[in-house]
Amino acid sequence: MADAASRLTTLAEELLGGPLPVRLRAWDGSEAGPVGGPVLIVRDRRALRRMIWKPGELGLARAWVAGEIDVEGDLYELLDSLSGLLWERGEETRSLLDSVRDPKLRAAARALLRLAGTLPPPKPPAEEMRGRSGSRHSKRRDKQAISHHYDVGNDFYELVLGPSMVYSCAYWTEDGTLEDAQRDKLDLIARKLNLKEGDRLLDVGCGWGSMAIHAAREYGARVVGVTLSREQAAYARKRIADEGLTDLIEIRVQDYRDVTDGPYDAISSIGMAEHVGAVKYREYADTLYGLLRPGGRLLNHQISRRPEPDEEAYEVDPFIDAYVFPDGELAPMGRTLTTLEDAGFEVRDVEAIREHYALTLRRWVANLEADWDRAVRLTSPGRARIWRLYMAASAVSFERNRIGVNQFLAVKTPVSGVSGTALRPRVWQE
């Protein structure tokens, strides 16, 4: 089939109503589009059938995971170039591809069908989350979602995250390493919580134990960490034993809603609230409030999104939902703050560290790319591709201010009104 790239570019521009901002190379070796930048490669016509049957982001994601589309050159630059089509136009693009009422667009769609071939759509890649059971954000379904994302092998996470094994936004200085930045983030949280020797800390969504270890080793805190991932728990327990901290730290495979042994002096929730879901967020805030002693502190470290003009129309990103964080939801920063206040907390400080997450993600992508063959062996080609795309796309989203990340310091202020926080809390910044 001669010059498939030109035909594809023309059809894409007719369907999308504007020029395709990247160069395209098709399965027949032909190329079309602007030169001098990254190239979007369509390796197989199966990719077109995926996008016809699932227009928009999910069809593209399936083709990417299956290796039917790829990128030559700077992935970040290509994602930034396509962002206006994939994200910023959002509903407009999906409506255009779903309805196709204009005769010219219908003709373009028929031509795309001919170019794609008449075979049925390929099956979704094996890495796609399927077979969810239970109501959304029930304990049973949350456990399935957490297992899908985290139980993919601790060796793989070591490769991506590095020795710190911290899977959340680091806190950067101009010339720091990833390990320095993750240590500084953990210490920032410990200082915001005003941890002291003997304090009881509950680490909700404790991951591989990094916050628990830091709090116990550096501050003498007694820590309970909870996670729904058995692989994380096993890894954390081994680290804790190697550090000689088993007398100070307990790691449980437990839903935070089942923790009943309060009160705690402090609670850290780092990159966990995104899994809670909008319908359960007030329950989350109420539960943590109830587990704190009067005067106790919560540090909630959470990704946020920009508010929608119509919040009822908010939809979870289909690629993230199917391949990365099933059932994960982002809330605007203001909604999180209001919910914490509604639960009884006094919110004493909010620190926005959006740019820090973009830097963190770029380091994780660099780790993955530097040891790509081993990453594939540890998981699968599709899983490695998922992680490369989701982390690179997330970095661009943080850089473009489509999403952010914030640390909320909230206090269960007693009736006396004495919060125990410093008059000038920004001494946390060095």
Side-chain angles (χ1 to χ4, degrees):
M1 186 172 293
D3 202 8
S6 293
R7 296 176 64 189
L8 270 178
T9 298
T10 299
L11 291 171
E13 291 177 346
E14 289 179 357
L15 287 168
L16 296 170
L20 197 63
V22 298
R23 190 162 184 80
L24 189 145
R25 181 185 303 149
W27 56 90
D28 63 351
S30 60
E31 295 190 13
V35 297
V39 179
L40 178 64
I41 305 169
V42 183
R43 299 191 184 280
D44 194 304
R45 287 193 295 169
R46 290 163 59 92
L48 304 185
R49 294 200 292 276
R50 294 189 192 277
M51 289 183 274
I52 289 167
W53 286 89
K54 280 292 181 182
E57 190 174 320
L58 185 56
L60 282 168
R62 286 175 172 174
W64 171 270
V65 175
E68 296 156 1
I69 61 174
D70 208 341
V71 173
E72 181 181 285
D74 190 325
L75 177 59
Y76 298 102
E77 183 181 345
L78 182 133
L79 290 169
D80 200 32
S81 298
L82 291 177
S83 62
L85 299 177
L86 296 181
W87 295 293
E88 291 167 8
R89 290 177 59 179
E91 287 298 326
E92 176 190 346
T93 300
R94 283 194 291 273
S95 175
L96 175 66
L97 291 172
D98 287 339
S99 59
V100 191
R101 295 175 181 174
D102 184 277
K104 183 179 179 181
L105 296 181
R106 286 204 304 271
R110 286 195 296 270
L112 185 60
L113 280 168
R114 289 193 295 271
L115 190 58
T118 58
L119 295 174
K123 292 182 179 179
E127 292 83 2
E128 186 167 314
M129 177 69 170
R130 293 188 294 275
R132 307 179 204 192
S133 59
S135 59
R136 192 178 182 90
H137 298 300
S138 64
K139 293 178 183 179
R140 179 182 179 185
R141 183 154 158 172
D142 279 355
K143 190 171 184 178
Q144 294 168 358
I146 293 298
S147 178
H148 174 85
H149 186 73
Y150 291 103
D151 292 340
V152 298
N154 292 325
D155 290 344
F156 177 76
Y157 277 98
E158 282 183 338
L159 184 153
V160 174
L161 303 179
S164 72
M165 288 299 281
V166 179
Y167 187 30
S168 54
C169 174
Y171 198 65
W172 293 88
T173 58
E174 290 295 331
D175 56 355
T177 66
L178 176 60
E179 294 309 303
D180 292 337
Q182 291 293 15
R183 183 198 61 240
D184 289 350
K185 187 271 299 296
L186 297 176
D187 203 63
L188 176 71
I189 290 171
R191 286 183 282 130
K192 286 183 176 182
L193 289 172
N194 194 30
L195 290 181
K196 303 179 296 298
E197 186 171 357
D199 279 354
R200 293 192 76 211
L201 169 68
L202 174 64
D203 188 25
V204 179
C206 64
W208 294 272
S210 298
M211 181 66 206
I213 290 170
H214 187 87
R217 184 182 60 210
E218 305 299 329
Y219 290 86
R222 295 174 294 132
V223 187
V224 172
V226 295
T227 175
L228 294 178
S229 168
R230 293 190 178 277
E231 288 196 21
Q232 282 187 334
Y235 188 98
R237 288 167 184 152
K238 184 179 185 306
R239 291 179 73 193
I240 290 161
D242 291 345
E243 292 270 355
L245 295 171
T246 53
D247 58 330
L248 289 177
I249 306 173
E250 177 188 0
I251 300 296
R252 305 173 184 166
V253 179
Q254 185 179 35
D255 192 292
Y256 76 95
R257 288 165 284 194
D258 294 329
V259 177
T260 58
D261 60 343
Y264 287 88
D265 299 290
I267 298 175
S268 53
S269 178
I270 309 169
M272 181 270 176
E274 298 89 338
H275 297 288
V276 169
V279 298
K280 295 289 186 179
Y281 199 81
R282 176 59 191 272
E283 179 185 2
Y284 162 83
D286 287 342
T287 299
L288 300 190
Y289 185 86
L291 286 168
L292 282 170
R293 65 165 174 79
R297 298 184 180 191
L298 164 69
L299 192 289
N300 184 68
H301 176 117
Q302 182 176 346
I303 299 172
S304 64
R305 60 174 171 84
R306 303 294 299 170
E308 298 279 355
D310 177 10
E311 278 293 314
E312 296 299 318
Y314 167 68
E315 293 182 358
V316 177
D317 180 280
F319 166 60
I320 298 295
D321 187 54
Y323 288 100
V324 186
F325 292 106
D327 295 339
E329 296 178 43
L330 302 182
M333 180 177 68
R335 182 184 297 176
T336 298
L337 191 151
T338 297
T339 305
L340 292 172
E341 289 188 324
D342 288 344
F345 283 106
E346 180 186 10
V347 178
R348 297 291 305 201
D349 185 78
V350 181
E351 184 173 3
I353 52 175
R354 171 175 62 83
E355 294 87 351
H356 293 257
Y357 219 155
L359 292 170
T360 306
L361 285 155
R362 283 179 174 263
R363 296 297 180 93
W364 290 344
V365 172
N367 287 346
L368 176 63
E369 292 176 340
D371 210 351
W372 181 260
D373 290 343
R374 181 166 178 262
V376 169
R377 290 196 303 271
L378 289 171
T379 53
S380 69
R383 183 74 63 189
R385 291 173 65 80
I386 289 165
W387 274 70
R388 183 174 180 234
L389 178 62
Y390 118 73
M391 292 191 299
S394 296
V396 171
S397 292
F398 281 109
E399 289 162 357
R400 284 289 198 108
N401 192 28
R402 281 191 292 270
I403 53 178
V405 61
N406 309 283
Q407 289 190 352
F408 297 83
L409 177 64
V411 180
K412 185 176 181 177
T413 303
V415 293
S416 66
V418 178
S419 70
T421 55
L423 291 176
R424 295 187 177 185
R426 283 304 182 190
V427 297
W428 293 319
Q429 293 187 340
E430 297 175 355

